[in-house]
């Protein structure tokens, strides 16, 4: 077990070092093969570890090295392996290995593939460091490591200004959340005397209900610390107000979107809340805030996804919305339901992203769905994989029986939201409405991309969102006679899609009873209790996973009805009556623009933060540097320079000039001595 854990974590690091430092010597293909092979081996070992530590086995700890000792701070680098860790190991390594394999085909024309694969493996190593952390410093190391790697991957095409801007934006916005996370870690050390997880979990029960004074106010200690920790989760997992970096991150290569923004980095916040469930369980007010932000994010991102035209941005906002679902689950105490959706979401969202990459590859890097259409018969394998991903995301299934992966996990969250009885059941209704919108924009993507008449010929490119669709696609050649007819992706890109599709179909059916239970057992008799063991803590009054199985019958059908309504409306709008989108956009233009411009939050931040920052910078530049520094310090230097420029004229290099000056000096000294009476 120890050797397997070490190999899982350090094989990606070894691949990153080999490709990064020796890639130019080895060449492109060996770098691809080495990094991909290492990740495939790590994925196989992760599934083996998953079978070994599940069902309540004890926590395994693998010491790596002594790390930091300073006063009361004693931190060792130790790998913590329990059921929660094993689930995350499976998610990270499985998706990463398939993304590596997919990238061999997708990045085949890029001349910097060694660097790309080194970054992918480095990112995977950092994520594995995060999920195997036995203390908060190690978790923060992985937390910042994925931030660095995401910056490198989003800005991989560094000659593209928009990619550089997106990378900087992701890095800066995440620093805001990470500042709160760091303060939370400092606070836990201050009140618990340690940042090791076991010591924290043992100390926090004594802190429940105890306040501390801050700026003259009495603040509950654990509530404050939990909110600070959640601030970090909001940034990393792109929750409302700190979400603005996620859609722009689509500027990176599509495999990056699948790896970072579907299955790994953005789920780090959900993992952190679940890992620190002993802290959050004792901070009920903080959990209410988590629920509110999650529900708001799910609703907000779904509204924006309704009107996006970039195929990757639609899926990106879907990711943002689904992360909101996960946080609602954690907020109401159904941590395992949140992790279950994280698990299933990894398969179908990575499938959708990589499927979109296959579409973009076939369309010669076109990403605007308004310039697609008619692709079902041209790329049927990609269409089938995208269809499976859409069925899983929208939650297609037979209530109470069987369905795709998202049907089991997403419906469980909606049911737990109802069982939690939030004020006016706002969390439940927000998620149901979001489920309706998710179905609509998901099928909108499918219909616009694959089923509407082709718009990808030379004479059919459109730039108005709801322009009348073309009726033919005969112009598939450019002026030079090159054939631009979309073609199916190579096998190396399709095989990862098949693997992810299997997960999107089977993950819910196979794992439901282990992740969230059946509701038939009580206490330790429920299968999920035996599966999770001590890796996730539920408070003494937390019975949400039992209550969610006792909801009214209609609640279980609500997401099913929402899914059908979204599908039906999308069919009417984009297949039966394609004139309706343009008419709706004209009729409700203010609302349409509000959604299209993402609730104007970016513009608000630009007004509140970006422009003032630039104004302060210009003031310091023009006033501080130009007036003060150039006018005083540089002015003094100019005066000194004027005197020295004239003094050097005395340096002629002739001996007789120097002798003459020396004689004048001797005469002046003698005159001073005689006049002063020194010789008397």
């Amino acid at each position: 077990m120890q050797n397997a854990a070490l190999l899982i974590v350090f094989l990606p690091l070894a691949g990153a070092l080999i490709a990064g430092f020796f890639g130019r010597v080895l060449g492109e293909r060996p770098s691809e093969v080495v990094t991909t092979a290492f990740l495939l081996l790590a994925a196989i070992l992760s599934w083996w570890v998953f079978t070994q530590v599940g069902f309540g086995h004890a926590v395994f700890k693998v010491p790596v090295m002594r790390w930091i000792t300073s006063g009361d701070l004693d931190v060792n680098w130790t790998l913590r392996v329990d059921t929660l860790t094993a689930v995350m190991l499976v998610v990270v390594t499985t998706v990463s290995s398939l993304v590596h394999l997919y990238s061999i085909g997708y990045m085949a024309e890029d001349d910097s593939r060694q660097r790309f694969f080194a970054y992918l493996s480095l990112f995977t190593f950092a994520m594995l460091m995060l999920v195997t952390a036995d203390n908060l410093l190690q978790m923060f190391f992985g937390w910042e490591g994925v931030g660095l790697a995401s910056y490198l991957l989003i800005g991989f095409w560094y000659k593209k200004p928009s990619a550089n801007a997106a990378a900087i934006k992701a890095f800066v916005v995440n620093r805001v959340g990470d500042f709160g996370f760091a303060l939370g870690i400092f606070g836990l050390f201050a009140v618990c005397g340690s940042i090791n997880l076991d010591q924290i979990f043992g100390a926090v029960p004594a802190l429940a209900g105890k306040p501390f004074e801050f700026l003259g106010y009495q603040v509950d200690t654990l509530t404050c610390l939990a909110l600070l920790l959640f601030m970090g989760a909001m940034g990393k997992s792109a929750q409302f107000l700190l979400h603005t970096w996620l859609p722009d991150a689509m500027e990176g290569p599509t495999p990056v979107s699948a790896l970072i923004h579907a299955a790994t980095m953005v789920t780090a916040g959900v993992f952190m809340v679940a890992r620190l469930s002993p802290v959050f369980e004792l901070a009920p007010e903080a959990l209410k805030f988590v629920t509110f932000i999650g529900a708001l994010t799910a609703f907000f991102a779904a509204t924006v996804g309704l009107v996006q035209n970039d195929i990757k941005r639609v899926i990106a906002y879907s990711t943002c919305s689904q992360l909101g679902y996960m946080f609602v689950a954690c907020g109401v105490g159904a941590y395992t339901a949140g992790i279950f959706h994280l698990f299933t979401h990894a398969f179908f969202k990575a499938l959708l992203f990589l499927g979109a990459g296959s579409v973009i590859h076939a369309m010669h890097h076109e990403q605007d769905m308004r310039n697609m259409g008619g692709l079902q018969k041209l790329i049927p394998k990609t269409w089938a994989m995208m269809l499976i991903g859409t069925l899983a995301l929208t939650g297609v299934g037979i209530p109470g029986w069987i369905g795709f992966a998202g049907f089991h996990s997403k419906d469980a969250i909606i049911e737990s939201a109802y069982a939690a009885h939030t004020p006016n059941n706002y969390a439940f209704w927000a998620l149901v409405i979001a489920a309706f919108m998710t179905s609509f924009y998901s099928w909108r993507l499918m219909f616009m991309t694959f089923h509407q008449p082709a718009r990808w010929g030379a004479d059919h490119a459109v730039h108005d969102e709801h322009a009348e669709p073309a009726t033919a696609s005969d112009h598939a050649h450019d002026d030079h006679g090159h054939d631009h007819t979309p073609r199916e992706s190579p096998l190396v890109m399709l095989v990862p899609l098949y693997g992810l599709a299997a997960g999107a179909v089977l993950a819910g059916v196979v794992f439901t009873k282990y992740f969230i239970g059946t509701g038939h057992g009580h206490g330790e008799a429920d299968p999920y209790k035996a599966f999770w063991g001590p890796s996730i803590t539920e408070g003494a009054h937390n019975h949400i996973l039992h209550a969610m199985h006792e909801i009214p019958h209609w609640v279980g059908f609500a997401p099913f009805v929402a899914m059908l309504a979204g599908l039906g409306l999308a069919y009417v709008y984009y297949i039966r009556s394609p004139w309706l989108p343009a008419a709706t956009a004209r009729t409700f233009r203010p609302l349409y623009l509000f959604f299209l411009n993402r609730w104007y939050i970016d513009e608000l931040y630009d007004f509140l933060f970006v422009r003032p920052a630039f104004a302060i910078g210009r003031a310091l530049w023009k006033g501080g540097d130009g007036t003060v520094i150039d006018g005083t310090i540089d002015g003094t230097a100019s005066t000194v320079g004027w005197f020295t420029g004239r003094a050097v004229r005395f340096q002629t290099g002739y001996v007789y000039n120097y002798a003459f000056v020396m004689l004048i000096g001797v005469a002046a000294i003698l005159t001073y001595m005689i006049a002063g009476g020194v010789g008397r």
Side-chain angles (χ1 to χ4, degrees):
M1 178 67 70
Q2 292 187 354
N3 292 333
L6 290 171
L7 285 172
I8 291 169
V9 172
F10 289 105
L11 277 174
L13 177 62
L17 293 175
I18 292 171
F21 289 107
F22 306 105
R24 291 184 179 274
V25 177
L26 294 174
E28 296 168 345
R29 183 48 56 88
S31 298
E32 296 172 343
V33 171
V34 168
T35 53
T36 304
F38 282 2
L39 258 298
L40 287 170
L41 178 57
I44 294 171
L45 291 173
S46 296
W47 280 99
W48 179 78
V49 169
F50 178 75
T51 63
Q52 297 300 306
V53 303
F55 305 99
H57 292 308
V59 176
F60 290 92
K61 293 191 177 182
V62 184
V64 178
M65 60 178 287
R66 193 170 184 83
W67 197 5
I68 298 174
T69 301
S70 177
D72 294 334
L73 181 64
D74 187 11
V75 179
N76 293 325
W77 188 354
T78 303
L79 306 182
R80 182 188 186 96
V81 183
D82 56 14
T83 304
L84 179 58
T85 302
V87 170
M88 295 303 297
L89 290 178
V90 166
V91 168
V92 174
T93 57
T94 301
V95 174
S96 181
S97 60
L98 294 176
V99 166
H100 274 71
L101 183 62
Y102 178 93
S103 299
I104 294 176
Y106 190 87
M107 302 295 290
E109 298 177 0
D110 198 287
D111 57 2
S112 299
R113 297 203 294 279
Q114 305 99 314
R115 180 167 59 90
F116 181 76
F117 279 84
Y119 289 168
L120 284 182
S121 292
L122 178 64
F123 174 88
T124 306
F125 165 72
M127 190 66 195
L128 292 172
M129 281 293 298
L130 192 159
V131 301
T132 58
D134 190 44
N135 59 75
L136 293 180
L137 183 61
Q138 186 179 330
M139 186 183 291
F140 193 73
F141 172 81
W143 195 274
E144 295 303 306
V146 293
L148 169 64
S150 67
Y151 170 80
L152 297 173
L153 286 167
I154 295 168
F156 176 76
W157 287 322
Y158 58 87
K159 295 182 180 179
K160 186 179 176 183
S162 59
N164 288 326
I168 293 172
K169 186 176 183 180
F171 198 80
V172 171
V173 173
N174 271 276
R175 296 292 71 71
V176 176
D178 294 353
F179 178 69
F181 187 32
L183 289 179
I185 294 174
F186 298 157
L188 282 173
F189 179 72
V191 299
C192 298
S194 175
I195 56 173
N196 295 310
L197 294 181
D198 288 338
Q199 281 80 357
I200 291 173
F201 297 161
V204 290
L207 299 171
K210 290 188 176 180
F212 71 95
E213 186 172 333
F214 180 71
L215 298 178
Y217 294 93
Q218 293 294 313
V219 181
D220 183 76
T221 302
L222 291 183
T223 299
C224 179
L225 294 178
L227 289 175
L228 288 172
L229 294 169
F230 180 63
M231 183 177 173
M234 287 178 64
K236 197 65 70 181
S237 296
Q239 293 301 282
F240 186 70
L241 297 182
L242 292 181
H243 69 278
T244 54
W245 65 272
L246 183 63
D248 291 349
M250 298 303 106
E251 292 292 338
T254 299
V256 173
S257 303
L259 178 61
I260 298 179
H261 309 295
T264 51
M265 174 177 156
V266 295
T267 60
V270 181
F271 164 80
M272 184 265 285
V273 173
R275 171 62 80 200
L276 298 179
S277 56
V279 178
F280 282 87
E281 278 291 275
L282 298 172
E285 296 303 316
L287 285 179
K288 291 178 182 178
F289 183 74
V290 173
T291 304
F292 173 75
I293 290 295
L296 180 58
T297 303
F299 178 83
F300 153 76
T303 63
V304 179
L306 293 173
V307 296
Q308 296 301 305
N309 299 306
D310 185 308
I311 188 171
K312 287 171 63 177
R313 283 182 180 264
V314 174
I315 303 173
Y317 277 107
S318 173
T319 296
C320 190
S321 182
Q322 297 305 306
L323 289 166
Y325 277 84
M326 299 175 204
F327 279 113
V328 168
C330 292
V332 299
Y335 303 101
T336 59
I339 297 298
F340 186 29
H341 196 48
L342 184 158
F343 182 78
T344 61
H345 178 264
F347 292 106
F348 61 74
K349 190 52 63 69
L351 175 62
L352 286 170
F353 266 120
L354 295 186
S358 184
V359 172
I360 294 168
H361 183 270
M363 291 294 298
H364 306 282
H365 305 292
E366 175 63 67
Q367 295 183 197
D368 195 327
M369 296 185 299
R370 296 169 297 182
N371 297 330
M372 297 182 184
L375 297 179
Q376 178 187 1
K377 295 181 180 179
L378 296 174
I379 49 174
K381 296 176 183 177
T382 298
W383 168 80
M385 296 301 101
M386 290 285 285
L387 178 62
I388 292 174
T390 301
L391 292 171
L393 170 61
T394 56
V396 174
I398 302 174
W401 189 36
I402 194 171
F404 289 84
F407 165 79
H408 293 276
S409 59
K410 187 168 70 173
D411 285 21
I413 294 176
I414 294 175
E415 291 165 6
S416 66
Y418 181 88
H421 299 298
T422 55
N424 298 314
N425 260 332
Y426 77 86
F428 168 75
W429 289 113
L431 296 188
V432 170
I433 295 171
F436 161 74
M437 292 188 286
T438 298
S439 181
F440 178 83
Y441 66 65
S442 297
W443 290 108
R444 171 180 179 263
L445 183 152
M446 289 296 295
F447 294 150
M448 290 183 69
T449 303
F450 295 101
H451 297 281
Q452 285 188 343
R455 299 180 297 276
W456 42 264
D459 295 340
H460 295 290
V462 299
H463 302 285
D464 179 29
E465 186 202 10
H466 299 298
E468 289 296 322
T471 57
S473 57
D474 300 327
H475 304 277
H477 295 75
D478 60 20
D479 295 337
H480 303 287
H482 297 142
D483 187 4
H484 288 305
T485 302
R487 288 185 172 83
E488 193 64 87
S489 298
L491 188 62
V492 72
M493 292 174 61
L494 292 175
V495 168
L497 298 183
Y498 300 153
L500 293 169
V505 174
L506 299 175
V509 176
V510 174
F511 294 106
T512 295
K513 65 179 180 180
Y514 301 121
F515 275 81
I516 60 173
T518 61
H520 301 308
H522 294 276
E524 298 299 327
D526 203 305
Y528 89 93
K529 289 280 190 180
F531 177 73
W532 289 103
S535 63
I536 291 180
T537 298
E538 295 176 348
H541 303 289
N542 185 347
H543 305 292
I544 189 68
L545 288 183
H546 179 70
M548 63 179 280
H549 293 289
E550 298 181 347
I551 56 175
H553 197 60
W554 68 269
V555 175
F557 277 87
F560 177 75
V561 173
M563 177 272 297
L564 288 181
L567 167 61
L569 189 63
Y571 179 78
V572 170
Y573 263 64
Y574 293 95
I575 299 297
R576 292 295 300 272
S577 305
W579 55 269
L580 269 174
T584 303
R586 287 193 300 269
T587 303
F588 301 98
R589 186 164 182 79
L591 183 63
Y592 166 73
L593 293 176
F594 183 67
F595 291 163
L596 186 65
N597 289 284
R598 300 163 290 187
W599 291 24
Y600 294 102
I601 292 176
D602 283 270
E603 288 77 6
L604 178 64
Y605 285 174
D606 183 67
F607 175 76
L608 293 177
F609 303 116
V610 178
R611 292 183 186 178
F614 274 101
I616 293 171
R618 280 192 297 269
L620 293 174
W621 170 34
K622 297 291 187 181
D625 188 58
T627 303
V628 177
I629 296 177
D630 292 346
T632 57
I633 299 175
D634 289 355
T636 303
S638 299
T639 303
V640 173
W642 183 85
F643 282 106
T644 56
R646 281 150 182 77
V648 296
R649 296 179 181 177
F650 291 102
Q651 307 298 322
T652 63
Y654 296 112
V655 174
Y656 62 84
N657 284 343
Y658 298 144
F660 178 70
V661 173
M662 289 173 65
L663 287 174
I664 293 176
V666 171
I669 292 172
L670 291 174
T671 302
Y672 171 75
M673 294 174 67
I674 293 171
V678 177
R680 295 178 183 175

